[in-house]
Amino acid sequence: MDEAWLKELNKRNLMIQGEDSSRCNFATVTVSSSVLAKLSLDEQEKFQMTEFKRATNEIEHWGRVEEICDFFGVEDPDLAGDMYERKFKNLTLDEEIKWMDLKDFSKDRYDGFGVKVEWG
């Protein structure tokens, strides 16, 4: 896989001394372990393992179960794997599309799964 776009993103992602981080637009990229494996080992090491937020009530619990199944492309949440995330500042739309292009696909999930980009 050509990671030239990711190397450029990494250069731009570094905080410059004296830079006001409140003026940066941050995006969080979350990937499944199968998507992470598509990246070089150097890039894999920049991600942190994370978990879905715990539910505080039963309605939220079932919403989280659905979210987990959708993210991992599975029917049973027990089949879900690990997820990893990394924050990027000033991610462009083209870069977001490149992340989304890394999604996994199956015959049941033609829209893909395993990648999520959240802004804010």
Side-chain angles (χ1 to χ4, degrees), residues 35-89:
V35 171
L36 185 70
K38 296 176 183 180
L39 302 175
S40 67
L41 290 177
D42 184 46
E43 291 301 326
Q44 290 178 29
E45 291 174 355
K46 296 173 184 170
F47 280 78
Q48 299 285 322
M49 186 183 288
T50 188
E51 296 179 353
F52 278 94
K53 294 177 189 161
R54 295 193 182 272
T56 58
N57 60 50
E58 189 170 348
I59 293 171
E60 204 175 281
H61 167 78
W62 291 111
R64 293 277 189 264
V65 167
E66 185 177 338
E67 183 182 5
I68 290 167
C69 290
D70 285 348
F71 182 78
F72 288 101
V74 296
E75 298 276 329
D76 181 351
D78 291 335
L79 300 175
D82 294 324
M83 55 189 274
Y84 301 83
E85 73 177 21
R86 183 173 176 207
K87 292 191 182 307
F88 293 95
K89 68 178 187 177

Side-chain angles (χ1 to χ4, degrees), residues 5-6 8-10 12 29 88-101 117 119:
W5 67 274
L6 196 46
E8 287 301 313
L9 176 57
N10 288 334
R12 199 177 67 245
V29 175
F88 293 95
K89 68 178 187 177
N90 302 323
L91 191 74
T92 68
L93 181 58
D94 284 343
E95 291 161 344
E96 179 180 3
I97 291 168
K98 288 187 184 296
W99 282 113
M100 298 310 257
D101 286 345
V117 177
W119 296 90

